[in-house]
Amino acid sequence: LVVTAFESYQLCKQWYPEIVENEKEIKKHGAKVMFGVDATCLRSFFGPEKGSNREQTRSISRGHNRPIRAGDRAPDPYDYRNQDWRFDRIVFNFPLVTKRFKTAGSNIRANQYLLSSFFQSCLQVLKPKGEIHISIQRCAPYTKFGLLQLAKDSSRHVLCLVASNEFDPRRFPGYIY
């Protein structure tokens, strides 16, 4: 099990002080915890691309990719990029671009781009017959993202819906939204 967050460890500690105890508890059960992971380029975080000398890329805040250069970030004890990973399941809970846009259409397109890029990224690190699980609300604006069509189109119809379930927060003691 690998638990990830897009935000840095320092930012997570600032926003969610309980992250320190949560991380200890997760690691106690043998899982790895990683921060600063961009779900739109999972391959750059979960193993080098076989047979390629390409520089790894990492999404920056404006959504553009650029090569990682020496000195871009300090050595990170949570950096597992030298391992080659293949996952049985990839879970993305409540994906959402939180940047405020002037129009609802721009917000929807930004989230569609996030999800489409995520699906493409998953295919690079997912085992054959692997699964992608997404928790998303069934109300506007989330229903306007066209999640199922995005999955099909971005994967060239490799991905398909197997099941859809309601999220029940009562199953997760302490969950607050």
Side-chain angles (χ1 to χ4, degrees):
L1 178 65
V2 180
V3 178
T4 66
F6 175 72
E7 295 83 8
S8 69
Y9 182 68
Q10 291 75 21
L11 194 55
C12 282
K13 278 192 349 187
Q14 180 182 341
W15 288 351
Y16 315 104
E18 67 277 8
I19 194 72
V20 175
E21 287 305 312
N22 291 350
E23 180 189 18
K24 285 179 189 174
E25 186 68 19
I26 291 167
K27 285 182 171 181
K28 184 172 83 175
H29 294 283
K32 296 192 182 302
V33 179
M34 297 173 62
F35 297 89
V37 175
D38 183 342
T40 66
C41 56
L42 294 171
R43 186 72 176 152
S44 67
F45 293 92
F46 298 106
E49 190 166 312
K50 299 240 184 257
S52 173
N53 293 6
R54 284 186 351 186
E55 289 183 286
Q56 294 175 334
T57 59
R58 179 171 173 247
S59 179
I60 58 176
S61 60
R62 280 170 265 153
H64 303 289
N65 287 339
R66 68 173 177 78
I68 293 177
R69 297 181 190 97
D72 273 1
R73 55 186 223 191
D76 184 352
Y78 303 102
D79 190 348
Y80 297 102
R81 286 181 289 176
N82 291 327
Q83 299 180 30
D84 195 19
W85 299 76
R86 290 292 176 268
F87 295 97
D88 295 307
R89 285 181 196 86
I90 299 174
V91 179
F92 200 165
N93 288 319
F94 306 105
L96 184 65
V97 174
T98 57
K99 187 175 179 182
R100 301 290 182 233
F101 293 93
K102 291 183 181 181
T103 66
S106 295
N107 188 23
I108 289 167
R109 284 189 297 279
N111 281 284
Q112 288 172 327
Y113 179 79
L114 168 67
L115 290 163
S116 179
S117 299
F118 167 69
F119 289 128
Q120 291 171 17
S121 179
C122 286
L123 293 176
Q124 298 176 5
V125 295
L126 196 63
K127 288 182 180 177
K129 303 202 187 260
E131 299 175 1
I132 299 171
H133 296 239
I134 295 184
S135 300
I136 196 163
Q137 295 185 19
R138 291 186 183 172
C139 61
Y142 309 98
T143 52
K144 296 182 180 185
F145 297 168
L147 183 67
L148 297 178
Q149 195 62 46
L150 283 172
K152 288 178 185 176
D153 292 347
S154 60
S155 70
R156 298 186 179 162
H157 295 270
V158 170
L159 299 176
C160 64
L161 177 66
V162 174
S164 178
N165 303 301
E166 290 290 329
F167 176 75
D168 183 1
R170 295 173 296 184
R171 293 181 51 212
F172 303 92
Y175 177 81
I176 299 171
Y177 176 73

